[in-house]
Amino acid sequence: MTLLNISNLSKSFGNETILAHLNLSVAEGEFVSILGPSGSGKSTLFHLVGGILAPDEGEINLNGDVISGKRGYISYMPQTPSLLPWRNILHNVTLGQELQRKADKETAKDMLMKAGLQQYMNAYPNELSGGMKQRAAFIRALLSPQSVLCLDEPFSALDELTRQEMQEWLLGTWEEYKKTILFVTHNIEEALFLSDRIIILSSKPAQVKAEVTVPFSRPREKKLLLEDEFFKWKRKVYNLLTSTADEYITRT
Amino acid sequence: MVLLLLLIVWELIVKQTGVPDWLFPAPSQIFQEGWNGWEQFYPHLLATLKLSLIGFLIGSGTGLITAIILHLLPGLRDSIYPLLILSQNIPIIVLAPLLVIWFGFGLMPKIIVIALVCFFPITVASLDGFKQTAPELKHYMNMAGASKSQLFWKLELPYATPSIFSGLKISATYSVMGAVISEWLGAKHGIGVYMTLASSSFRTDRVFVAIFWIMILSLLFFGLIKAAERTLVRGQFKGEIK
Ligand SMILES: Nc1ncnc2c1ncn2[C@@H]1O[C@H](COP(=O)(O)OP(=O)(O)OP(=O)(O)O)[C@@H](O)[C@H]1O
Ligand SMILES: [Mg+2]
């Protein structure tokens, strides 16, 4: 069932067209990655979905309702953890809930426990490592009541090891809660390892260049990254990303 | 320590050179006068304390409210902010004689002077604090669907708390000074009155007693606000920002 549907979406800043007639849809419970070169307009797409920008053309539908230009319909995790420094971790992770309705401390505590952050519930963000902060930021998004989670390059500021650890953790947590996720990344491996489907954007203006359905079964483990099949797909996605041919869609 | 050393040097110089008391009393004399004249002095102290407290509360309260209103109405803020900055360069005290002409010698003009003196530092500091809110936090709040009031209460106000407190600290010190100066314009009680009387009768020791008390009061106010800040603003706050 389609949960989020974006149709014919266009956005320009001045006379520079960033998104042109973009179409994409995300099914309920699906993990979709958006892969595109730097500056191609991935964040702009999120800003439109989040409603802090209004589209010039086209429509965004969530569950049949038009949400273009309306805020509060998605939960969000940015590249920087963006935790509030004067709130402890427990109060930080309930912030997303608080903005919509009442905070549910019990579920929050439970999730922090599962994320290995139980000793840090009463700690302040500056006492946590980069990876721990991103865990807290993800839990904050997961706890928010909205059905779609938008993650904008959440791990790109982390070192390689922490990044891999976080990908595995995110996958485990997601497989447990099965929320719908829209995930922006530059990293092909990350997109392949995490998602059900990858949408490859062209740049200037951004259009859907290709769509790849990832064939690996779940639950996925780290050793998948070393399999030949994985490398084969990596090459395939790389070619799609760098090719200039506009419209060609691959499916398995 | 440094203060004690200064007092000792001062005492020695006065004793050695034999400057007359009415010109420059030694610290020991000042303390003696402070001690003996306490009965006489303390109603004045109380009056000034009350006056500066009322002025401070009114001034900082209206200052904070003004800052919030201006912050929520950016169009108005942009036109008024330069005026606020300009007004900081005018010593508000010079308005005092005018206020006396308009409002007479009662409590009113004095409170207005103190409130005005306190008003500007708070308004400017709070406005700056609101404006400096980290853009990435604001971006998160907007993307997460925060309403304008949630953005203010959950992010901008707590973010600006340290700035508001630095404004309050400045105002607190100004308020005592403002009170004393407004009392010079005419009052029945107050440290300002005590000072005028003392200087006209060449009781320099009493003038110094008054000066010391003004310093003590200012420091006391400052300390109280600092203590309030420490309980309200988490220590962790500073590590994260700047
Ligand atoms: N508010 C804005 N006003 C003007 N131009 C903007 C604005 N926001 C983004 N742009 C421009 O739109 C283009 C796309 O930006 P966007 O941040 O969406 O790219 P991105 O794909 O997220 O890039 P990255 O991978 O580096 O995060 C850039 O050229 C940027 O300069
Ligand atoms: Mg981006």
Side-chain angles (χ1 to χ4, degrees):
Chain A
M1 196 199 104
T2 301
L3 182 64
L4 181 74
N5 188 55
I6 293 170
S7 58
N8 196 32
L9 197 71
S10 301
K11 181 74 192 174
S12 309
F13 291 119
N15 36 21
E16 195 182 2
T17 307
I18 308 295
L19 305 177
H21 311 291
L22 197 85
N23 292 297
L24 73 91
S25 67
V26 182
E28 191 166 356
E30 201 179 14
F31 194 130
V32 175
S33 287
I34 295 172
L35 197 62
S38 195
S40 58
K42 303 180 298 294
S43 297
T44 305
L45 174 64
F46 269 16
H47 298 163
L48 288 161
V49 174
I52 63 171
L53 287 178
D56 297 336
E57 209 185 322
E59 221 175 64
I60 302 165
N61 276 275
L62 179 75
N63 241 337
D65 301 323
V66 180
I67 60 158
S68 335
K70 291 191 202 157
R71 301 195 288 154
Y73 285 90
I74 53 133
S75 65
Y76 178 63
M77 175 178 180
Q79 184 177 354
T80 54
S82 307
L83 302 171
L84 305 188
W86 53 89
R87 285 182 175 228
N88 66 25
I89 296 306
L90 182 62
H91 287 116
N92 256 299
V93 298
T94 52
L95 177 65
Q97 291 182 323
E98 236 175 271
L99 296 178
Q100 305 305 323
R101 52 176 93 125
K102 278 207 87 79
D104 171 10
K105 294 245 167 61
E106 290 317 304
T107 321
K109 280 182 189 164
D110 206 48
M111 273 179 146
L112 285 172
M113 206 105 87
K114 283 186 191 148
L117 290 172
Q118 64 271 33
Q119 298 115 294
Y120 293 94
M121 267 182 223
N122 298 314
Y124 289 88
N126 65 345
E127 299 165 47
L128 271 64
S129 72
M132 291 195 272
K133 280 188 226 177
Q134 282 303 61
R135 273 176 213 225
F138 181 64
I139 292 174
R140 177 176 63 184
L142 209 54
L143 279 169
S144 306
Q146 298 94 337
S147 50
V148 179
L149 250 85
C150 292
L151 280 61
D152 194 350
E153 302 186 35
F155 304 144
S156 59
L158 300 175
D159 63 88
E160 192 53 34
L161 274 178
T162 315
R163 187 186 172 106
Q164 274 182 20
E165 200 182 298
M166 289 294 294
Q167 288 168 358
E168 249 192 312
W169 172 79
L170 177 81
L171 207 54
T173 313
W174 175 73
E175 275 162 359
E176 192 171 335
Y177 294 92
K178 284 288 177 195
K179 278 232 187 181
T180 309
I181 290 187
L182 207 54
F183 189 98
V184 162
T185 179
H186 292 123
N187 188 314
I188 299 175
E189 202 168 277
E190 181 169 83
L192 273 172
F193 182 58
L194 296 174
S195 31
D196 296 319
R197 203 150 49 92
I198 301 173
I199 288 165
I200 299 169
L201 292 186
S202 60
S203 76
K204 310 260 157 162
Q207 275 175 317
V208 179
K209 193 184 198 181
E211 226 183 277
V212 173
T213 303
V214 181
F216 311 116
S217 64
R218 297 186 188 274
R220 294 175 190 166
E221 282 168 39
K222 212 154 131 194
K223 61 175 194 287
L224 174 68
L225 295 170
L226 302 171
E227 286 172 14
D228 286 344
E229 189 66 9
F230 193 83
F231 279 114
K232 212 186 84 197
W233 277 93
K234 206 168 145 183
R235 205 162 356 178
K236 199 164 174 173
V237 173
Y238 178 80
N239 286 334
L240 286 171
L241 188 63
T242 51
S243 73
T244 45
D246 251 358
E247 287 293 327
Y248 77 98
I249 306 227
T250 341
R251 285 184 198 280
T252 42
Chain B
M1 255 333 275
V2 179
L3 194 68
L4 200 69
L5 203 72
L6 199 73
L7 288 178
I8 291 168
V9 171
W10 175 358
E11 179 87 30
L12 286 177
I13 289 176
V14 171
K15 286 275 151 70
Q16 286 298 309
T17 53
V19 190
D21 292 348
W22 58 267
L23 202 60
F24 210 90
S28 56
Q29 279 168 301
I30 296 167
F31 285 123
Q32 204 172 3
E33 174 55 34
W35 186 259
N36 295 335
W38 170 249
E39 285 286 308
Q40 240 182 318
F41 183 74
Y42 105 101
H44 295 292
L45 181 69
L46 223 59
T48 303
L49 188 67
K50 206 169 96 186
L51 191 63
S52 40
L53 211 61
I54 295 172
F56 171 73
L57 289 177
I58 293 176
S60 45
T62 45
L64 189 58
I65 291 167
T66 308
I68 292 173
I69 292 172
L70 288 182
H71 173 68
L72 297 177
L73 302 170
L76 198 61
R77 181 198 56 211
D78 294 343
S79 50
I80 290 185
Y81 189 79
L83 287 178
L84 284 175
I85 295 295
L86 195 70
S87 71
Q88 283 210 302
N89 296 318
I90 306 168
I92 303 295
I93 302 295
V94 302
L95 294 179
L98 268 182
L99 291 170
V100 170
I101 295 172
W102 293 334
F103 299 104
F105 287 100
L107 201 60
M108 181 80 142
K110 297 189 188 70
I111 287 176
I112 293 177
V113 168
I114 305 162
L116 273 177
V117 167
C118 296
F119 174 85
F120 292 105
I122 298 268
T123 314
V124 172
S126 316
L127 272 177
D128 286 346
F130 295 146
K131 221 165 135 186
Q132 278 158 12
T133 309
E136 77 270 14
L137 297 181
K138 224 158 135 178
H139 179 246
Y140 166 76
M141 292 294 275
N142 282 324
M143 279 295 280
S147 65
K148 225 176 157 171
S149 81
Q150 284 174 327
L151 189 70
F152 180 73
W153 291 108
K154 290 188 195 291
L155 178 64
E156 289 169 330
L157 185 64
Y159 200 96
T161 319
S163 306
I164 295 173
F165 269 106
S166 62
L168 284 175
K169 278 185 243 169
I170 296 172
S171 298
T173 3
Y174 281 10
S175 73
V176 180
M177 216 155 53
V180 172
I181 292 173
S182 73
E183 283 161 357
W184 286 348
L185 300 171
K188 281 203 211 66
H189 293 292
I191 300 178
V193 181
Y194 180 87
M195 273 179 105
T196 340
L197 288 176
S199 70
S200 61
S201 55
F202 292 98
R203 290 298 302 265
T204 317
D205 50 348
R206 289 191 176 171
V207 176
F208 273 104
V209 168
I211 290 173
F212 277 122
W213 272 107
I214 292 168
M215 279 158 62
I216 291 169
L217 270 188
S218 299
L219 284 175
L220 198 73
F221 269 31
F222 189 87
L224 278 177
I225 298 205
K226 211 158 171 170
E229 180 181 19
R230 216 167 297 147
T231 46
L232 255 158
V233 180
R234 314 234 186 259
Q236 287 79 356
F237 196 100
K238 280 167 196 129
E240 188 84 356
I241 302 159
K242 275 163 238 166

